[in-house]
Amino acid sequence: SRLAMALVDHEPVVVLEANPLSEHLPAARARGVRVLIGPATDEIMLRRAGINHARSLVALCGRDGTNVDVAAAAARARESTAQRLTIFAHLRDLDLWRSLAAEGATFDSRHSEVRLEYFNMLATGAQLLLERHPPFSSPPASADQAWRPHILMVGVEGVGEQILLQLARQWKSLARGAGDALRVSLTGPHADEDLIDLRERYPALDRYCDLSANQIAIESARFQAGTVMIGPDGACDVSQAYVCLLDEADALLAALALHARPETSEVPVAVALDDADAGIAIVLASEEGRFAGISSYGVLTAATSDELLLRGTNELLARAQHAQWLRHERMKGLTVADNKF
């Protein structure tokens, strides 16, 4: 529904919806989206929807198998025309997504006018969030040669796991020396379990990240006093914090607590939200002076933008390459404005 609303302002949109009672249908129809009730895996329904004249088809049916089935049905239903069709199939299973994306899975030669791309909303959202709120800033003026970034993550819910994986990949791309792992501290009500689960699922993480966990309830007096930002020596050496909690009230409570102490108020805090227009986002944006250093980012809003999604993989790769160049410059203590070439 989010994507349909973004697209309809620029071009005609047809939605195939299997559930006639979907809560999103009235708003879509009111915005001018044409809605057909029926399964998107049905070739007849796809033809009724205008598959032969479509420029793009996005399969967002919830289940990975269904999305792949929709893509295959669309290729079969498509007649040979001059109009090229790009199919974007969403995959929730990240291992499957990476495997199919790496193999460049596509259709046979009979469907040469059809291009297939797989995407994952959380992976895309994590990349975009880290572009907006980069984890590896320039070292502070007082830092010595041994300084390295220290990332604090409050929860790994929603896009949080993907943020951590992106952090590891980005740190690896900086070609750090042997044993120079990125410090990442997990905190929140399930930090210990989160750390165990992450290590089981991604054993290579420990090769690039120095992971630790501090399990503590968000509403506890200790968390609200800002102690999770303070190290054993009593100083704050966190360089960037990300709050990834699905409950928006908890996310706001946690973000404000991270700046509870004067010595932590300069640490940038990014709050990952689903919607850029969520109440918390509005509150933080309207009180810039009061909440200086705390920003929100609508992950799904950004990841489902028509401009980004319909440009496809090439756009994401180009953005990733540019972001990698910026990271190298920041780690050298430069800014983009410092470069004269």
Side-chain angles (χ1 to χ4, degrees):
S1 64
R2 216 182 283 264
L3 180 60
M5 298 300 191
L7 287 169
V8 75
D9 292 332
H10 307 289
E11 56 189 314
V13 175
V14 179
V15 167
L16 277 173
E17 171 58 57
N19 178 15
L21 301 179
S22 171
E23 61 181 334
H24 301 294
L25 294 184
R29 288 181 171 127
R31 285 287 301 277
V33 176
R34 181 187 173 203
V35 178
L36 298 180
I37 302 300
T41 53
D42 188 322
E43 296 176 36
I44 296 177
M45 290 297 302
L46 287 166
R47 293 192 183 100
R48 283 185 56 199
I51 192 66
N52 287 317
H53 308 288
R55 179 171 63 88
S56 304
L57 180 147
V58 185
L60 283 160
C61 298
R63 297 182 60 224
D64 291 353
T66 304
N67 290 333
V68 174
D69 288 344
V70 170
R76 291 193 303 267
R78 179 87 169 185
E79 298 174 357
S80 181
T81 64
Q83 176 69 46
R84 184 178 177 88
L85 174 69
T86 302
I87 299 175
F88 300 90
H90 185 259
L91 297 178
R92 290 176 179 269
D93 187 319
L94 294 170
D95 292 331
L96 177 61
W97 167 64
R98 279 189 288 268
S99 175
L100 292 176
E103 293 175 3
T106 185
F107 301 109
D108 58 40
S109 58
R110 293 174 298 170
H111 306 291
S112 59
E113 76 283 359
V114 178
R115 182 166 62 94
L116 175 62
E117 288 198 15
Y118 296 104
F119 70 103
N120 180 277
M121 207 69 75
L122 293 181
T124 300
Q127 177 179 326
L128 298 176
L129 184 147
L130 292 179
E131 285 180 15
R132 180 68 63 86
H133 302 284
F136 311 132
S137 58
S138 302
S142 59
D144 56 26
Q145 292 295 322
W147 181 89
R148 55 178 171 152
H150 179 193
I151 309 298
L152 177 70
M153 296 197 64
V154 183
V156 289
E157 298 172 2
V159 75
E161 180 178 298
Q162 274 301 301
I163 289 177
L164 179 55
L165 296 179
Q166 294 268 8
L167 288 171
R169 293 189 191 101
Q170 290 186 14
W171 188 251
K172 177 185 176 183
S173 74
L174 292 173
R176 314 304 299 173
D180 191 10
L182 172 66
R183 294 177 62 198
V184 180
S185 298
L186 308 182
T187 190
H190 310 294
D192 291 344
E193 295 94 325
D194 290 339
L195 181 56
I196 293 172
D197 183 56
L198 286 166
R199 280 177 165 154
E200 287 180 350
R201 297 178 61 191
Y202 309 103
L205 269 177
D206 283 314
R207 291 165 52 191
Y208 308 108
C209 298
D210 179 8
L211 297 165
S212 63
N214 177 17
Q215 185 158 308
I216 179 173
I218 301 298
E219 66 276 9
S220 68
R222 194 157 59 94
F223 190 102
Q224 290 301 306
T227 58
V228 295
M229 297 279 273
I230 305 300
D233 60 354
C236 173
D237 63 353
V238 174
S239 55
Q240 173 72 49
Y242 298 100
V243 178
C244 303
L245 299 170
L246 293 180
D247 186 289
E248 292 186 2
D250 284 347
L252 180 59
L253 193 65
L256 296 179
L258 296 182
H259 279 186
R261 294 171 173 249
E263 62 268 39
T264 67
S265 61
E266 300 297 320
V267 178
V269 177
V271 183
L273 302 172
D274 283 351
D275 195 337
D277 296 322
I280 291 178
I282 296 173
V283 169
L284 293 176
S286 64
E287 300 281 351
E288 292 184 0
R290 181 182 175 190
F291 302 130
I294 302 176
S295 306
S296 64
Y297 190 78
V299 174
L300 293 186
T301 300
T304 55
S305 69
D306 60 311
E307 180 182 5
L308 177 65
L309 179 61
L310 298 188
R311 284 186 183 179
T313 303
N314 289 339
E315 172 73 4
L316 288 175
L317 291 176
R319 294 172 70 113
Q321 290 172 347
H322 180 66
Q324 181 175 343
W325 175 80
L326 289 177
R327 289 194 295 274
H328 280 282
E329 297 304 301
R330 290 191 183 99
M331 293 305 293
K332 290 191 296 185
L334 302 175
T335 66
V336 176
D338 293 325
N339 292 283
K340 305 305 180 183
F341 44 80

